[in-house]
Amino acid sequence: IVFYVQKVDCNKIIELGDGVFKNCKSLKEVKTVSNLTSIGSECFTNCQSLGYFEFNDLISFIGTKAFTNCCALKNIELPENLEVLEDQTFNNCSSVETITFNEGLRIINAGCFTNCNLLSELNFNKNLEEICGGAFEHCTSLKEVILPDSLRLIGTGAFQECTSITK
């Protein structure tokens, strides 16, 4: 099944369930306005044209693989209420250049940003406690990683194959 949805306005929607827009390859833009609080697992998986997603600060849950293979996504600004990034949330988002980490984020789970090849710098918030295994694996352009004092766990292979890290 191929979907040709290009733009979604989630003005009155509170929750997007699992796989709602999965494989909508022509979806380019999502505006969440103010009511959205939860994004289900694989909700936007394989939305290869999705270049803009507006996160509001009420979003407190983003499910596993929610944005996997969103190849056109360039900038990620995480919502303030989000404390945990689930496994592989932004896996294979190969065009991501910047990530803005909110102050409330405590845990980045396994494979969260694997293969985000254009990501060059990470400046984590001061409250981050865990970066789980393979979280940034194969981020080959990553040059600089600034770790906070609050960090208590870096999982196995968290930065494996990040061959450009110099600092």
Side-chain angles (χ1 to χ4, degrees):
I1 297 175
V2 177
F3 296 97
Y4 295 101
V5 176
Q6 290 191 348
K7 185 176 179 183
V8 175
D9 187 341
C10 299
N11 191 22
K12 298 187 185 219
I13 297 173
I14 295 171
E15 180 177 324
L16 290 170
D18 296 349
V20 173
F21 295 103
K22 184 176 182 177
N23 296 320
C24 289
K25 296 187 187 312
S26 56
L27 181 62
K28 294 179 180 180
E29 179 179 323
V30 177
K31 291 187 177 184
T32 64
V33 189
S34 60
N35 296 316
L36 190 65
T37 61
S38 178
I39 299 170
S41 295
E42 297 187 9
C43 190
F44 295 97
T45 292
N46 296 324
C47 292
Q48 296 170 345
S49 299
L50 184 61
Y52 177 77
F53 190 94
E54 176 186 28
F55 291 98
N56 71 55
D57 284 334
L58 292 179
I59 297 171
S60 59
F61 177 79
I62 301 175
T64 300
K65 297 183 180 181
F67 293 91
T68 289
N69 295 324
C70 290
C71 303
L73 200 58
K74 290 186 178 190
N75 302 306
I76 299 168
E77 187 170 335
L78 297 171
E80 284 299 317
N81 282 333
L82 188 67
E83 291 186 14
V84 177
L85 274 170
E86 300 297 330
D87 291 354
Q88 300 178 9
T89 307
F90 295 97
N91 180 33
N92 290 325
C93 292
S94 55
S95 295
V96 169
E97 297 173 357
T98 62
I99 303 168
T100 303
F101 295 98
N102 66 47
E103 289 301 314
L105 187 65
R106 295 181 307 101
I107 300 170
I108 298 173
N109 272 307
C112 219
F113 296 97
T114 298
N115 294 318
C116 290
N117 298 326
L118 297 181
L119 189 60
S120 63
E121 178 182 323
L122 292 172
N123 190 356
F124 297 107
N125 69 52
K126 63 183 179 187
N127 298 312
L128 187 66
E129 297 172 9
E130 297 180 18
I131 299 173
C132 295
F136 295 92
E137 186 175 0
H138 295 286
C139 292
T140 54
S141 296
L142 192 56
K143 293 179 180 140
E144 184 175 352
V145 178
I146 300 170
L147 300 172
D149 292 336
S150 59
L151 196 62
R152 57 183 180 80
L153 169 80
I154 299 177
T156 302
F159 296 97
Q160 183 173 324
E161 301 298 326
C162 295
T163 54
S164 298
I165 292 179
T166 58
K167 173 174 168 181

